[in-house]
Amino acid sequence: MELANVVPWGRSFAEYQAMFGLPEDDLKKRILGCGDGPASFNAEGTKRGSQITSCDPVYQFETKEIRRRIDEVYPDIMTKMKQGADNYIWDSLGSVEELGKVRMKAMSEFLSDFDTGRHQGRYVPASLPSLPFPDSGFDLALCSHYLFLYSDHVDEVAHLESMRELCRVASEVRVFPVVSLDGTASKHLDSVVTALSAGGIEVSLQAVSYRFQKGATEMFVAKSV
Ligand SMILES: C[S@@+](CC[C@H](N)C(=O)[O-])C[C@H]1O[C@@H](n2cnc3c(N)ncnc32)[C@H](O)[C@@H]1O
């Protein structure tokens, strides 16, 4: 991975709670956030007492390099969000400017926590479809805004291998959203459902309260039975 190709953009703990419907009981579980990037889920969750490990290829870089890249791409992301504003629901975030503030706050919290968390083993540089974790090392794996969303960039084989890998390391896996960037159901959803079901994994789609991208109203849930 080259940092010049990375577009860091991170969500907050509150957004993860809404995307994945996380009640307090879930927050007591051993959680893996896969593809967490510069989200503040781990930083905020750790402060609240949760046991969260995040993995992402971007964690191979230093704090100052990630910070520089965030500052570099931010104006461009804002311009693109303004151009594509009709694809989103603005009820809670209000405006592109407000969204920018919320995202920058989340990413600052991540950056402040990254060095400490890396030494504590809470931020692990790793990429799907191969994770450096033992079988069933986690109770719950969360994957926000990577699988399914980037269905035009991550092919069917990578989706199948990644989902199987997440099911290997965690007894329950949740992925949000299940739509692609255009807001329609991921073209890989059916094959993932078929493959995991055939392997004895219980799969379902569950409605969540989070609303931002139009069409993104459900999370994918896979449970090893
Ligand atoms: C759009 S960002 C989402 C970040 C965070 N999950 C959130 O929702 O705020 C997508 C993340 O997926 C990560 N990613 C890219 N390729 C990956 C892979 N093969 N395995 C795991 N994560 C990957 C990127 O580095 C990036 O941090």
Side-chain angles (χ1 to χ4, degrees):
M1 173 182 259
E2 285 188 34
L3 196 54
N5 299 327
V6 174
V7 182
W9 203 229
R11 289 165 186 79
S12 68
F13 182 85
E15 289 182 279
Y16 267 63
Q17 270 191 307
M19 287 187 288
F20 295 111
L22 296 172
E24 286 303 322
D25 274 357
D26 280 346
L27 293 169
K28 291 181 187 137
K29 295 177 175 172
R30 295 168 304 163
I31 301 176
L32 172 67
C34 186
D36 273 353
S40 60
F41 177 60
N42 191 322
E44 293 185 72
T46 300
K47 276 190 204 146
R48 295 171 46 115
S50 288
Q51 197 184 326
I52 302 169
T53 301
S54 298
C55 66
D56 196 294
V58 89
Y59 299 156
Q60 69 191 273
F61 300 107
E62 297 300 320
T63 307
K64 63 174 187 296
E65 296 176 300
I66 302 175
R67 179 179 287 117
R68 196 180 314 126
R69 185 64 189 152
I70 289 171
D71 292 340
E72 214 168 76
V73 299
Y74 182 77
D76 195 36
I77 298 181
M78 287 289 99
T79 304
K80 290 205 172 104
M81 287 303 302
K82 280 179 192 150
Q83 287 163 352
D86 285 349
N87 299 323
Y88 300 90
I89 298 161
W90 295 97
D91 292 353
S92 65
L93 283 160
S95 64
V96 174
E97 286 72 21
E98 195 54 34
L99 169 77
K101 283 186 197 151
V102 170
R103 292 281 180 276
M104 282 306 244
K105 182 169 180 290
M107 292 190 284
S108 301
E109 290 214 35
F110 158 78
L111 289 168
S112 309
D113 182 52
F114 185 50
D115 281 336
T116 308
R118 204 159 39 155
H119 284 112
Q120 293 173 344
R122 290 190 285 109
Y123 294 107
V124 178
S127 305
L128 286 168
S130 178
L131 301 178
F133 305 116
D135 295 358
S136 308
F138 300 95
D139 305 308
L140 181 60
L142 307 174
C143 184
S144 156
H145 292 84
Y146 173 60
L147 289 173
F148 295 136
L149 184 66
Y150 292 101
S151 286
D152 288 337
H153 307 81
V154 182
D155 68 16
E156 181 179 318
V157 172
H159 268 79
L160 294 175
E161 289 179 358
S162 297
M163 287 302 308
R164 286 197 186 102
E165 181 69 345
L166 287 168
C167 291
R168 179 186 70 76
V169 302
S171 37
E172 180 175 343
V173 177
R174 300 181 194 170
V175 181
F176 181 89
V178 295
V179 295
S180 310
L181 289 168
D182 67 0
T184 64
S186 158
K187 60 185 174 191
H188 304 314
L189 185 57
D190 287 347
S191 45
V192 167
V193 169
T194 305
L196 293 188
S197 305
I201 290 167
E202 196 180 282
V203 298
S204 60
L205 292 179
Q206 292 182 21
V208 297
S209 62
Y210 187 74
R211 290 289 178 276
F212 186 48
Q213 184 191 4
K214 286 183 183 166
T217 58
E218 293 176 313
M219 65 173 167
F220 177 88
V221 181
K223 286 186 189 173
S224 302
V225 281

